[in-house]
């Protein structure tokens, strides 16, 4: 089970567009109803970015719809914001076996990268997404999260150089518009527990401290 990033001290924080035409008729209630974006009640695998935002808003009050989307891949046209809103760290990976996780030799780590993803239009806004650790790792020239963590203690200058080079290449690729495959990050119980404490405004979708989507591939 994936978990959202936790606020903590981040040792990797430093690594990182004549005649006036007749006026348009005033919209009637019928016209407004026809143009209102209504989220689908069934699973949609290729929504537009604005449709995805509408779907995510609906999930807050529709647990049945959440279950229809959970575990399924959604492909959306978008790109990562190249600005400073990203979160990067190396964290202990979650383990389903609590006994094994207590043993030092069984400790595993993963890359934690969260950023705001933007739609094709400026008016689309942003959705905060966590990026699958294995996707990030492909940019680290074979270095696992545990190896980078160990190297940062032994040779911080070299570790910083590797992280800076790797993250720059990742941002270069993901900051251009493409088809991004993603899925819901949390289980239904964790999702509704989390959103219960958040504002109902649309800003909750773009908060990198609380991502609700997991990016698994860019095509």
């Amino acid at each position: 089970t994936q978990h959202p990033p936790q606020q903590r001290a981040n040792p990797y924080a430093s690594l990182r567009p004549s005649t006036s035409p007749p006026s348009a008729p005033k919209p009637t209630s019928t016209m407004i109803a026809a143009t209102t974006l209504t989220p689908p009640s069934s699973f949609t695998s290729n929504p537009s970015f604005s449709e995805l935002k509408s779907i995510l808003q609906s999930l807050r009050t529709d647990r049945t719809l959440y279950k229809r989307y959970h575990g399924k891949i959604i492909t959306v046209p978008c790109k990562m914001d190249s600005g400073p809103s990203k979160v990067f760290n190396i964290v202990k990976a979650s383990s389903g076996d609590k006994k094994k996780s207590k043993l030092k030799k069984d400790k595993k780590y993963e890359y934690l990268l969260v950023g705001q993803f933007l739609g094709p239009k400026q008016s689309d806004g942003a959705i905060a997404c966590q990026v699958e650790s294995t996707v990030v790792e492909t940019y680290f020239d074979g270095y696992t999260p545990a190896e980078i963590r160990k190297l940062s203690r032994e040779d911080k200058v070299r570790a910083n150089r590797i992280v800076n080079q790797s993250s720059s290449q990742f941002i270069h690729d993901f900051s251009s518009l493409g088809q991004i495959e993603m899925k819901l990050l949390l289980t239904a119980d964790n999702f509704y527990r989390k959103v219960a404490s958040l504002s109902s405004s649309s800003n909750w979708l773009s908060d990198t401290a609380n991502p609700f989507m997991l990016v698994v591939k860019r095509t």
Side-chain angles (χ1 to χ4, degrees):
T1 302
Q2 297 286 344
H3 298 282
Q6 301 177 348
Q7 296 287 359
R8 68 188 74 190
N10 183 359
Y12 308 97
S14 63
L15 308 184
R16 339 213 257 267
S18 134
T19 303
S20 299
S23 58
K26 294 182 179 180
T28 63
S29 58
T30 302
M31 294 171 62
I32 293 173
T35 56
T36 300
L37 186 61
T38 303
S41 57
S42 58
F43 175 71
T44 302
S45 61
N46 295 88
S48 68
F49 192 83
S50 58
E51 286 172 338
L52 176 58
K53 290 187 69 176
S54 181
I55 291 168
L56 293 176
Q57 288 284 10
S58 297
L59 295 183
R60 292 191 66 150
T61 56
D62 193 337
R63 195 181 185 99
T64 299
L65 186 61
Y66 194 96
K67 291 180 179 179
R68 290 192 183 119
Y69 275 89
H70 186 259
K72 296 180 180 178
I73 298 297
I74 304 168
T75 304
V76 189
C78 58
K79 61 183 179 180
M80 175 181 271
D81 183 7
S82 59
S85 61
K86 293 175 293 301
V87 175
F88 177 79
N89 208 340
I90 293 175
V91 298
K92 189 190 300 184
S94 59
S95 173
D97 191 328
K98 293 183 179 180
K99 290 183 179 180
K100 283 188 177 182
S101 65
K102 293 179 180 179
L103 301 176
K104 187 174 182 180
K105 65 178 181 179
D106 290 320
K107 285 185 179 179
K108 295 184 179 181
Y109 295 87
E110 62 185 6
Y111 293 115
L112 173 65
L113 177 60
V114 181
Q116 291 184 339
F117 281 72
L118 313 173
K121 298 181 294 184
Q122 187 173 359
S123 59
D124 284 336
I127 297 175
C129 301
Q130 182 173 324
V131 182
E132 178 68 64
S133 178
T134 54
V135 175
V136 180
E137 189 169 340
T138 60
Y139 287 83
F140 274 77
D141 296 326
Y143 286 97
T144 67
E147 289 170 340
I148 291 293
R149 185 175 183 272
K150 181 173 182 291
L151 183 61
S152 69
R153 297 195 299 267
E154 299 171 349
D155 188 344
K156 193 170 185 64
V157 172
R158 184 184 173 200
N160 286 356
R161 183 171 63 250
I162 293 171
V163 170
N164 286 331
Q165 292 173 347
S166 302
S167 59
S168 294
Q169 185 59 51
F170 177 90
I171 294 170
H172 175 270
D173 291 350
F174 275 75
S175 62
S176 60
L177 189 65
Q179 295 295 318
I180 303 294
E181 295 183 8
M182 59 179 71
K183 62 182 179 179
L184 292 169
L185 175 62
L186 305 176
T187 63
D189 287 342
N190 287 338
F191 174 80
Y192 288 104
R193 189 179 300 115
K194 174 68 69 172
V195 297
S197 63
L198 301 178
S199 167
S200 60
S201 71
S202 60
N203 292 337
W204 69 278
L205 287 174
S206 59
D207 182 6
T208 53
N210 295 292
F212 292 101
M213 299 300 293
L214 179 69
V215 171
V216 297
K217 187 177 181 181
R218 182 185 185 277
T219 57

